[in-house]
Amino acid sequence: MSAEVDGRVRTADVVVIGAGQAGLSAAYHLQRRGLVPAGTVPEPRRPAGESARTYMVLDAEDGPGGAWRHRWKSLLMATVNGISDLPGIPQPAVDPEEASSTFLARYFGGYEDQLALAIERPVKVRSVSREDHDGGGRLRITTTRGDWSARAIINATGTWTRPFWPIYPGQASFRGRQLHVADYVSAEEFSGRHVIVVGGGISAVGLLDEISQVTTTSWFTRREPVWRDAAFDRQAGHDAVALVEERVRQGLPPQSVVAVTGLIWTPALRAAAARGVLERHPMFTGIEPGGVRLADGSLLAADVILWATGFRAELEHLAPLHLRGPGGGIAMDGTQVAAEPRVHLVGYGPSSSTIGANRAGRAAVAGILRLLGEQDKFAGDLNLRA
């Protein structure tokens, strides 16, 4: 869906920022609960005679698929971590050899079309601020295509646009190539070069396996990796999410779920271990023009450093709301920001998995509709007394 921007401030009851898994889940539940696209003409009517509540999804991407649009082509559906169905419409038949970026962009696009979701793109949200000073009014969303005014927002911007780069002594002196996982394309571009992979997560070990099949590699992590031999069952998942939830409830920056669960052995990773690929080294002490200085003082020559060091939540546009606490994170009550009930974060912390994103979308919509109902009742009471 597109709309011309003529300088006016457009309005909606709820604006969703981002159209990845979490944003689409939120849009589904908004529509299911009776909200209609902002700007619908003529507007449907509620039984009370008031205009129907409205919503709009603003997405920075050029097309459907969210962050999946940018995943490396070698990440196939056979090797990607389990992707949950979007609510209401199951995934179509999956070809295990299809690139996840292609499949999921097609799945998300078909989902948007079948449900006729109200999505405007490409729209980059620059900032969200309060139109009031007492927390009882509306929020102003400033974008690359004009301003919106909303009673509440659901932020679903994920993490892909904020790759985390650690800083090490001598980093700028390195004569080889440095890249983050977000910039990775394929292993073939590193053929004949020695590649250092830094990071202890799923992407790090997966890319180690892939790159080591065409060239030599070394693996470095800050902590000794923890491997799981047992299956990752429902209870293990519940326990891991509970630990992440407790951190965000306290206002601490969320950990990744894998930091809690550990790494899970797969046949491919066991084969990589048998080849000696998963021999982990403690972090180097510095970076030099020709390689990295090891903890024992020796120099390891390298041509490439691949930083598989994770991502941070993309929340800079929310900075005018001053949501972060002394701990550096945002204190949460479920999906709701504890200090600002008009703002819900989905795909953040415990809801960063695809299963969690679906649940968070539903919970956020339920919370926002309660808030809007309370606001409407309060306004009605004021009108009666007037």
Side-chain angles (χ1 to χ4, degrees):
M1 176 176 293
S2 62
E4 294 182 2
V5 177
D6 58 9
R8 74 189 189 281
V9 177
R10 289 173 287 174
T11 63
D13 286 292
V14 183
V15 166
V16 180
I17 305 173
Q21 181 109 14
L24 292 182
S25 173
Y28 169 85
H29 289 289
L30 286 167
Q31 184 169 279
R32 191 163 180 251
R33 297 290 291 270
L35 277 77
V36 300
T40 299
V41 180
E43 282 194 340
R45 312 297 287 182
R46 283 193 287 178
E50 301 172 9
S51 297
R53 291 179 180 143
T54 59
Y55 81 98
M56 179 58 68
V57 181
L58 305 178
D59 187 40
E61 297 291 342
D62 292 326
W68 289 105
R69 293 165 55 84
H70 307 290
R71 299 298 175 106
W72 49 96
K73 294 298 182 183
S74 58
L75 185 62
L76 307 179
M77 291 304 294
T79 55
V80 72
N81 281 344
I83 303 299
S84 296
D85 293 348
L86 288 161
I89 301 177
Q91 294 179 45
V94 176
D95 176 358
E97 297 305 310
E98 184 174 5
S100 59
S101 57
T102 304
F103 173 83
L104 289 163
R106 186 172 70 252
Y107 174 37
F108 284 19
Y111 185 87
E112 294 174 9
D113 291 343
Q114 286 185 63
L115 296 176
L117 297 177
I119 301 175
E120 189 171 310
R121 61 164 63 95
V123 181
K124 172 68 175 175
V125 172
R126 290 174 169 155
S127 67
V128 179
S129 57
R130 296 179 178 89
E131 293 184 1
D132 56 19
H133 297 288
D134 60 5
R138 303 178 71 91
L139 299 169
R140 177 63 58 92
I141 301 104
T142 301
T143 84
T144 52
R145 296 181 63 185
D147 286 8
W148 285 82
S149 176
R151 297 170 69 185
I153 68 165
I154 298 175
N155 191 83
T157 44
T159 63
W160 186 258
T161 54
R162 289 205 66 203
F164 174 65
W165 291 73
I167 298 174
Y168 277 85
Q171 198 162 4
S173 71
F174 186 60
R175 289 194 299 260
R177 181 184 177 191
Q178 296 186 65
L179 72 159
H180 192 275
V181 164
D183 304 309
Y184 179 83
V185 177
S186 71
E188 283 67 29
E189 61 183 309
F190 306 126
S191 180
R193 303 178 181 180
H194 186 72
V195 180
I196 286 175
V197 177
V198 181
I202 295 171
S203 294
V205 295
L207 292 179
L208 263 172
D209 175 32
E210 184 172 311
I211 296 169
S212 68
Q213 298 186 45
V214 300
T215 193
T216 59
T217 59
S218 298
W219 183 29
F220 290 82
T221 69
R222 286 193 299 122
R223 291 183 294 270
E224 187 73 40
V226 177
W227 292 90
R228 287 182 65 95
D229 285 307
F232 190 68
D233 57 18
R234 183 181 295 272
Q235 185 59 47
H238 176 273
D239 293 345
V241 168
L243 289 172
V244 180
E245 283 179 338
E246 183 56 31
R247 283 185 62 85
V248 298
R249 191 176 296 114
Q250 296 174 17
L252 299 172
Q255 288 180 306
S256 67
V257 173
V258 73
V260 178
T261 63
L263 295 165
I264 301 172
W265 284 112
T266 65
L269 291 178
R270 289 194 183 279
R275 291 188 285 113
V277 172
L278 300 184
E279 180 185 347
R280 173 261 179 185
H281 302 281
M283 277 306 296
F284 41 79
T285 59
I287 302 174
E288 300 185 16
V292 297
R293 185 64 61 181
L294 303 184
D296 64 7
S298 62
L299 181 71
L300 174 66
D303 304 294
V304 179
I305 302 176
L306 173 60
W307 297 96
T309 45
F311 298 80
R312 299 293 183 264
E314 177 53 88
L315 301 174
E316 294 306 300
H317 53 289
L318 302 182
L321 299 177
H322 303 291
L323 303 178
R324 292 192 184 276
I330 298 175
M332 302 291 296
D333 180 7
T335 61
Q336 178 184 295
V337 174
E340 177 50 272
R342 294 174 293 180
V343 177
H344 285 248
L345 307 182
V346 296
Y348 174 79
S351 63
S352 57
S353 68
T354 58
I355 294 177
N358 282 351
R359 293 171 179 166
R362 182 175 63 244
V365 169
I368 282 177
L369 292 184
R370 283 194 299 270
L371 174 68
L372 298 186
E374 291 167 3
Q375 290 178 346
D376 290 343
K377 184 177 184 302
F378 179 71
D381 290 344
L382 287 180
N383 288 335
L384 288 174
R385 289 198 289 267

